[in-house]
């Protein structure tokens, strides 16, 4: 699948670069497919930085991506960016309609993108007074209600008073307070409800295929929710999960006996055939078991993610085993067999999660409705997308603890950045954003059980003391120190800290080293 952004690469302005005497180091640069720097792009951000339109370089990110989207569209449509007008901006909005319906982007996000593009065209004559051939830059945006410019404007009420906006902009109301992330108990209730909802429907006394279908749908819906909660998939990514992507991952890790690492068609054929072949099934599961024994806990499945980007998703091996045994060899196999008998011309799609009504892949909306209905029926606030938030919250905690331990229990920029980069990869984003920073902050607060920054600093001092003095401590001293820490954490013995303080005053310790290792704080 081609990524329309792959020829529009980013970099940053090198240190020491100045624009009208102002340091513009680290501001974004975008390259065109020809390899040349996109001049209006860098001029816009450099001029905006000089005029204090941006507070930080990081705050440019939303506009950076919106403008890349616009320039990529212009390139795709063979439209010069200088030829922009109201109709082209409207067409840009219309081209997002399918993504809005599929839930890949919201209508509000599209309007925000259009607002950034409008801002660019309003500002570019000031940032780039001359075109490349020496002519004055045209004025793209006129006064409100003026029809003499290619992009028209109007006044709209903003937080600070009337604001100039694109004349065709549509105000999108906020959907309200962000729904909370479900906790582990709520997620388990949702999964159980989806899987065993069929028990509540027995009163209808259905028999035969209809009864079996309800059981199969329960198993399918359970796996759909697990893909969101345990692998962090969005609803359209769950709907698009297919045999080829999964079998390619199995083949590349040599988990399919006799199939070449790049023979993906043979891999799909083997996995499908295993539904009717117990020996094949047991062979695949045995290889996965040995893969786990060798220290692997997950399988990376490369698949299409947001913005049609191809990226690897980390699936727990337990989920992979259940997708195979239940999702493919039981549910999907039964639905495909049923529709083959019903329609001789039926051809099963490659997707794993199929609709029992027609044997075709479940739509993005159907996947969303399946999980959203479970939230509503259990009266749990949230939606299927909040299962993804649950996944990222849990993974931030695990990744932070792992990196913190590997980093010697020191607060280090590298530990923070490693955690952010890993979360970014799991979220399917291009680079760290406020989303990943939020989940990292939540992990830190959970780690220290407090939102108090002074507590984090105190913990940093403690860890640094342990790292500095650790090699000098005898084994007996280490054990005593461990016991002291456990005693201090025991609320049932409130007098112990006072006794310890008195003892330390009685036997004063030597002064700390003059040049200890630097005390590195949490970096945000």
């Amino acid at each position: 699948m081609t990524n329309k952004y792959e020829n529009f690469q980013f970099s940053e302005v090198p240190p020491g670069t100045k624009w009208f005497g102002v340091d513009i180091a680290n501001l974004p640069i975008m390259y065109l497919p020809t390899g040349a720097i996109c001049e209006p792009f860098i001029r816009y951000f450099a001029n905006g930085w000089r005029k204090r339109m941006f507070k930080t370089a990081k705050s440019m990110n939303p506009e950076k991506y919106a403008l890349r989207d616009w320039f990529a569209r212009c390139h795709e449509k063979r439209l010069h960016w200088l030829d922009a007008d109201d109709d082209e901006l409207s067409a840009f909005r219309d081209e997002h309609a399918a993504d809005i319906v599929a839930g890949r982007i919201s209508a509000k996000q599209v309007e925000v993108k259009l607002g950034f593009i409008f801002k660019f065209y309003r500002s570019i004559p000031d940032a780039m007074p001359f075109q490349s051939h020496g002519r004055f830059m045209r004025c793209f945006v006129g006064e409100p209600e003026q029809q003499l410019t290619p992009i028209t404007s109007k006044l709209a009420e903003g937080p600070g008073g009337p604001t100039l906006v694109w004349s065709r902009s549509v105000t999108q109301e906020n959907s309200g307070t962000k729904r909370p992330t479900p906790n582990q108990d709520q997620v388990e209730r949702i999964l159980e409800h989806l899987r065993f909802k069929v028990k509540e429907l027995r009163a209808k006394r259905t028999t035969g295929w209809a009864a079996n279908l309800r059981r199969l749908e329960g198993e399918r819906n359970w796996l759909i929710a697990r893909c969101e909660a345990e692998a962090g998939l969005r609803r359209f990514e769950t709907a698009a999960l297919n045999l080829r992507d999964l079998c390619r991952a199995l083949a590349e890790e040599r988990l399919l006996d006799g199939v070449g690492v790049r023979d993906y068609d043979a891999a799909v054929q083997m996995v499908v055939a295993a539904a009717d072949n117990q020996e094949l099934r047991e062979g695949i599961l045995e290889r996965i078991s040995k893969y786990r024994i060798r220290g692997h806990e997950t399988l990376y499945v490369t698949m299409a993610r947001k913005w049609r980007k191809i990226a690897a998703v980390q699936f727990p091996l337990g989920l992979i085993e259940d997708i195979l045994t239940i999702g493919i060899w039981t549910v999907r196999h039964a639905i495909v067999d049923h529709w083959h008998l019903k329609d001789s011309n039926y051809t099963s799609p490659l997707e794993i999660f199929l609709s029992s009504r027609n044997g075709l892949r479940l739509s993005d909306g159907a996947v969303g409705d399946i999980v959203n209905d479970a939230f509503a029926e259990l009266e749990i606030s949230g939606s299927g997308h909040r299962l993804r938030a649950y996944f990222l919250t849990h993974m931030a905690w695990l990744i932070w603890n792992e990196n913190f331990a590997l980093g010697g229990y020191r607060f280090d920029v590298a530990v923070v950045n490693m955690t952010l980069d890993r979360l970014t990869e799991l979220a399917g984003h291009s680079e760290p954003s406020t989303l990943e920073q939020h989940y990292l902050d939540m992990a830190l607060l959970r780690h220290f059980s407090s939102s108090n920054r002074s507590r984090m600093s105190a913990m940093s001092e403690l860890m640094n003391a342990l790292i500095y003095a650790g090699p000098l401590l005898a084994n007996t001293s280490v054990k005593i120190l461990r016991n002291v820490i456990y005693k201090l954490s025991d609320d049932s013995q409130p007098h112990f800290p006072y006794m310890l303080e008195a003892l330390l005053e009685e036997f004063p310790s030597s002064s700390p080293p003059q040049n200890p290792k630097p005390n590195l704080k949490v970096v945000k």
Side-chain angles (χ1 to χ4, degrees):
M1 188 178 295
T2 304
N3 184 345
K4 68 178 181 179
Y5 302 127
E6 63 185 359
N7 294 324
F8 290 82
Q9 299 297 316
F10 289 129
S11 68
E12 294 181 349
V13 175
T17 307
K18 293 186 180 293
W19 180 277
F20 290 96
V22 177
D23 187 354
I24 60 170
N26 302 321
L27 296 193
I29 297 174
M30 186 176 74
Y31 297 93
L32 300 172
T34 61
I37 290 176
C38 182
E39 185 180 359
F41 182 92
I42 180 61
R43 281 180 173 272
Y44 169 72
F45 285 109
N47 187 68
W49 184 252
R50 185 169 72 95
K51 297 292 183 65
R52 301 184 183 278
M53 288 167 52
F54 303 98
K55 293 181 179 179
T56 64
K58 188 175 180 180
S59 68
M60 298 177 180
N61 281 347
E63 294 190 39
K64 176 177 80 172
Y65 288 111
L67 291 179
R68 182 180 68 173
D69 201 355
W70 173 253
F71 277 95
R73 178 199 180 268
C74 289
H75 176 75
E76 187 178 32
K77 303 292 183 183
R78 298 187 178 183
L79 171 76
H80 198 286
W81 69 272
L82 290 171
D83 296 327
D85 57 20
D86 283 340
D87 290 339
E88 290 298 337
L89 266 64
S90 292
F92 176 84
R93 172 194 282 149
D94 295 341
E95 288 158 13
H96 286 80
D99 287 331
I100 292 172
V101 172
R104 299 186 184 97
I105 190 172
S106 68
K108 183 177 180 180
Q109 287 174 301
V110 175
E111 293 303 318
V112 169
K113 282 176 179 281
L114 286 165
F116 289 145
I117 296 168
F118 173 82
K119 179 183 171 186
F120 166 80
Y121 279 107
R122 185 183 176 195
S123 305
I124 198 62
D126 181 45
M128 189 176 177
F130 298 96
Q131 300 178 31
S132 57
H133 44 68
R135 294 177 59 185
F136 281 108
M137 180 62 67
R138 69 187 300 184
C139 177
F140 290 94
V141 178
E143 295 300 317
E145 312 304 333
Q146 182 184 8
Q147 303 297 323
L148 301 177
T149 52
I151 300 176
T152 54
S153 65
K154 66 181 180 181
L155 287 175
E157 197 63 36
T163 305
L164 196 68
V165 299
W166 181 39
S167 63
R168 300 182 188 178
S169 64
V170 178
T171 302
Q172 298 289 329
E173 297 294 334
N174 290 324
S175 58
T177 305
K178 190 174 183 179
R179 292 175 175 177
T181 301
N183 57 36
Q184 183 175 349
D185 176 66
Q186 291 173 324
V187 171
E188 289 176 354
R189 287 175 56 205
I190 289 167
L191 293 174
E192 183 178 7
H193 177 73
L194 286 169
R195 191 176 194 183
F196 300 113
K197 184 179 178 181
V198 64
K199 293 180 180 179
E200 303 170 10
L201 301 175
R202 284 181 176 172
K204 294 187 177 180
R205 300 184 181 280
T206 54
T207 59
W209 166 248
N212 187 41
L213 179 59
R214 286 180 179 170
R215 180 185 62 81
L216 294 172
E217 287 178 341
E219 300 284 358
R220 180 201 64 192
N221 298 347
W222 171 67
L223 285 173
I224 284 172
R226 285 185 62 193
C227 284
E228 297 180 357
E230 297 178 29
L233 298 188
R234 302 172 177 88
R235 64 178 183 177
F236 72 87
E237 294 167 343
T238 304
L241 183 62
N242 61 74
L243 290 168
R244 187 171 177 81
D245 291 341
L246 178 61
C247 295
R248 177 174 55 195
L250 294 170
E252 289 175 348
E253 293 297 337
R254 294 178 171 82
L255 300 178
L256 301 175
D257 188 20
V259 174
V261 294
R262 296 193 180 280
D263 194 352
Y264 304 139
D265 290 334
V268 171
Q269 291 172 10
M270 173 181 277
V271 170
V272 171
D276 291 316
N277 188 320
Q278 184 176 351
E279 185 178 352
L280 275 180
R281 290 198 303 271
E282 291 176 352
I284 294 171
L285 294 176
E286 183 180 358
R287 280 178 168 258
I288 294 175
S289 179
K290 291 179 179 178
Y291 186 69
R292 179 185 281 114
I293 292 171
R294 294 198 299 270
H296 299 279
E297 292 293 336
T298 59
L299 179 71
Y300 284 90
V301 178
T302 301
M303 58 183 292
R305 303 215 70 183
K306 193 174 182 180
W307 305 124
R308 298 175 176 85
K309 182 180 69 173
I310 305 298
V313 177
Q314 198 171 359
F315 281 77
L317 287 182
L319 178 56
I320 291 292
E321 289 168 329
D322 286 341
I323 288 175
L324 287 170
T325 58
I326 299 174
I328 297 173
W329 297 334
T330 303
V331 180
R332 186 181 185 281
H333 179 63
I335 292 175
V336 168
D337 276 358
H338 172 77
W339 281 97
H340 272 310
L341 291 173
K342 195 167 184 177
D343 182 359
S344 59
N345 295 319
Y346 170 73
T347 301
S348 61
L350 280 174
E351 281 76 19
I352 291 172
F353 300 120
L354 305 183
S355 169
S356 57
R357 294 181 179 180
N358 54 22
L360 304 179
R361 60 159 280 181
L362 281 175
S363 67
D364 303 349
V367 168
D369 290 342
I370 285 168
V371 184
N372 292 347
D373 288 348
F375 273 86
E377 289 162 5
L378 293 174
E379 298 183 348
I380 296 175
S381 180
S383 64
H385 199 67
R386 301 315 294 164
L387 289 182
R388 173 175 155 80
Y390 166 81
F391 163 79
L392 291 172
T393 301
H394 181 64
M395 291 306 296
W397 160 247
L398 294 179
I399 294 167
W400 165 258
N401 280 281
E402 179 182 9
N403 289 337
F404 193 42
L406 291 174
Y409 296 98
R410 289 178 69 88
F411 290 114
D412 190 288
V413 176
V415 174
V416 173
N417 288 342
M418 286 169 61
T419 305
L420 284 175
D421 288 344
R422 188 73 190 90
L423 282 173
T424 300
E425 181 183 348
L426 291 173
H429 294 164
S430 300
E431 61 180 52
S433 65
T434 53
L435 175 71
E436 285 76 34
Q437 184 66 62
H438 165 75
Y439 287 118
L440 174 58
D441 289 346
M442 294 296 290
L444 290 173
L445 296 182
R446 179 178 172 187
H447 188 95
F448 297 109
S449 303
S450 172
S451 59
N452 193 330
R453 285 295 174 134
S454 63
R455 180 181 176 85
M456 289 188 179
S457 296
M459 290 296 294
S460 175
E461 298 281 359
L462 173 60
M463 293 300 179
N464 287 333
L466 285 172
I467 291 166
Y468 179 86
L472 306 177
L473 294 174
N475 289 342
T476 53
S477 298
V478 172
K479 292 179 181 179
I480 291 172
L481 186 57
R482 180 198 63 190
N483 292 336
V484 167
I485 291 174
Y486 287 146
K487 288 283 188 182
L488 287 171
S489 64
D490 187 353
D491 292 337
S492 67
Q493 302 185 49
H495 301 298
F496 182 77
Y498 301 105
M499 295 171 59
L500 187 61
E501 286 282 356
L503 189 62
L504 289 173
E505 290 176 4
E506 186 71 21
F507 299 95
S509 60
S510 58
S511 301
Q514 294 300 312
N515 295 301
K517 294 182 179 180
N519 177 26
L520 300 175
K521 309 293 185 185
V522 175
V523 177
K524 291 192 68 176

